[in-house]
Amino acid sequence: MTEPGRTRPRRLLVAALPGLVAAVAGLALLATPRLPLAALGVELLALAFWLWARLGDDRREQLARWGWLRRPALALWLAAALAISLPPPRALAPPSAPGLAAALETPDLTAAPTAGGRDALAPLRVLEALAVLWAGLELLGALPLSRPFPDVTGPLANAGPWLPAILPAMGFLVLWRQSAVWTPAPLVREIAALALLLAAGLAVLRAYTRRSWTASLRWLVVFDSSLAAMLIALDVVPGRIAFLLWCASAGGRLMALAAELRGATTRRGRGLTRWWRLASWTGAASLSWPLLVGVAFAAGRFRPAEYFALAAPVFLATRLTLQRVIEAPERRAIARPDAARVVSLFGAFATLVLGPLALLFAWWSGFEGSFPGVLLALLPAALGGWLRPRRRAGAAMPPVLRVSVAAGATARDFALAVFRTVTSFERRLAATFGAVLRGLGAPARDLHTGDAQEYLLFLVGVGVLALLLPLLR
Amino acid sequence: MTNAVPFATLALAAALLLRMVHPQRPGLAGVAATAFSWLALTPLALLVALPGATTPQRAAVGAALAIALLARDREDLAQGECALKLTWVLAAAFALSWAGESLLALAAGTVPSLEQWPALALQLDPYGLWSAALALTLLAGVVLVGGAPFHFWLADVFHGARAWLAPLVVASLQVAGAALLAHRLEGIGAFPAGAALVRGLITIAAAAALVGGAATLASQRRPERRVGTLASLQGALVLAALASDPGREPFAALAPGSLTAWGAHLALALTGAGTLARFLPVGAPAADAPAVLFRRHPWSGAVAAYSLLSLAGAPGTPGMLLWLSVARRLALTRHSGLLLALALAWIVAFAVTAEETRRAFGSPSPRPAPEADVPWPARAAMWTAAAGLVLLGWQWWVV
């Protein structure tokens, strides 16, 4: 006879399987450079979250929480439809293939615009680029409407706290694989860089204010993904190098988050904890270093504003990483041998190696920095590692976590106030925009009252207009 | 060339199945009454299948037949109200267009439209006369295709009329309107001033239809009315295609004789979506238990949702090819503003129908499904419509 306690998880696993298949397929499709497949990928991800959200007892809350995932999918579908519909900028000639093939002919988006004359479809090409950017930024949590998602847990009972962390990963994949669509458009790179910088700053502030390490890790994945996407937006390193750097930093955090949910296996034992601390620091430093070199010291000139805007969050993130990865207390007298520890050690080693290896590839592909820029670019991460506050022996919780947020003007209090001020301003802005849209749409709702006589009057009015309109040439 | 006759026949068969859900009387007399009312739909199906043969007179007869069918059941107040509204609107629209036709014939000195354009190109008549007349001739067509602000009658018919009647009434009148517009504007290239005027007027009408339709769709609550508004967006597609090149047949990029293809798709998609709408909850939260159709027959529900999604032009459906065809035509003729409106309408339509589908599937419920069953003819009608759509998509893909 099967125990009821065991059948329920098994039943839940079976019920979660369609969502799992959709999510894995979505991830696989996002890795392809084709826009319609990327749109399908995000749609499948949204489907997976919807399927999972329906299963739990808190389904009402979860369904409302993850409904926004259809927005990035719609943005990508719009971009894909525009890519199929718009002719190449160079030649606005009739389609080469007849029939349906003409309707589905994909234009060459890399073709240069015509030298003479204005491209009447240029605004739509920009819209296409903005739609892709919107999708990527929203999945990254870099837009006001989706900003709070790393604060909440996902739909499944066991994997719930981990699931939201895959969304920034998907956002980065969208921005990386579809970079050929959105980066050539005018001003889009600049918009992306600004949005990503703000997202990185807010993410690290929120990670700093959260007491739970799992929640902080989710925010740090957003931070790392924003930095990696910035590498692409500003064309600092080739996309595949940015991907490797992202794997080293955000990939490590994703592994750490999964391990946290499985008994904090990254923090079991002093040796393993040290390995993970070193690996996380190396990953974060490897990601931030080329960005600081490429942005703050580009063309041999020092840009202090850009340097400090990037260095401050990098310093805080590095400090946070080292401060929070502390050895978990072992409750057993004799620790049991655990295969998860071996996997965790392997993950730490991979994370440790991947960052420097990516930097080596970057150097190989032509990435160079000026002196002393290369050293100054390493400074925020180095300071974050060096200026670690000393903990009292035996104190399991770092000092920052022992200070209550409500206690007074602490650094955490300040960070929380900044985060809340910015996000509440964003929310108000979005709400105002929504109210304006609703106000504009209200006449459409009130257009017909259902009275047949009014229909007739309306039609006669339009008839009179049809008589008068041509005369107003 | 797409042959719409098999697809119109499928729509007619689905209408018969839906008619069987509501038998009038038991016995042979009831069967005869059912068959008779269904047979009366055949001329409407012919309007869908053969848009090339549509004339203003045939369109008017079709409209009269539709009104008569709606008004026939005196006990059904909702249908009677639809009939009354349609009478008011269509009679006035046909009268105004008829006045325009007469004025245009007066200005050109000839009745056939193909002969009118060269005569008007001589510029012997005052601008005010021919321009006002030309604008009025388009009015009946614009009202019949149902683009906003004339989208009210479509939603009313889907809301008030029976499931077996509404799809073919709406599809036939819309196809008749599109055919009237296409025939009226045939050869207008021979009269450049007229072509410029018509392009401007239809561009305004198409933009209003797309934006107004999208705004209405986003604010509606009843699934039946949403289907009606989606139908009005299909009418907006015709207007947008005509605005890009008034003298050319709409959807010409899709296939030759493409108005028939559009009509066939419209009839099938409206049949499936209109039937599904009767089983959908009104404004239910997504966390609620699924609708009865989706609890007892989830595959039938999924199949019907395919028709609804095709009506909205969702990716992977034949409806998507229609939207893409018009978008490409607008892009080639550099109508960027209209293309933007089209993109907006498409996104809203896709978002609303996907949300509707999600709400219909709801959340799994541990409670047993309700006793009330979904009649098999209704399910068969949904399967028939979806099968027709798959065939249509396959045919377009092969072409």
Side-chain angles (χ1 to χ4, degrees), chain A residues 54 84 92 100 102 455-456 470, chain B residues 88 127 156 253 328 334 362 396:
Chain A
R54 295 161 75 233
I84 290 171
L92 290 165
L100 182 60
Y455 286 11
L456 180 62
Chain B
W88 277 114
Y127 175 81
D156 280 343
R328 191 154 181 88
R334 302 187 188 195
W396 289 352

Side-chain angles (χ1 to χ4, degrees), chain B residues 19 24-25 27-39 72:
Chain B
R19 183 71 189 85
Q24 287 185 321
R25 285 185 296 271
L28 199 60
V31 173
T34 304
F36 173 73
S37 55
W38 171 70
L39 277 174
R72 187 168 162 269

Side-chain angles (χ1 to χ4, degrees), chain A residues 417-464:
Chain A
V418 171
F419 179 83
R420 282 187 178 158
T421 307
V422 175
T423 49
S424 66
F425 173 73
E426 286 177 339
R427 272 203 298 273
R428 269 185 216 159
L429 205 66
T432 310
F433 186 66
V436 169
L437 274 185
R438 276 195 299 277
L440 289 174
R445 199 170 51 242
D446 303 334
L447 186 65
H448 50 90
T449 56
D451 189 327
Q453 270 185 318
E454 287 189 15
Y455 286 11
L456 180 62
L457 285 174
F458 178 65
L459 187 65
V460 171
V462 173
V464 172

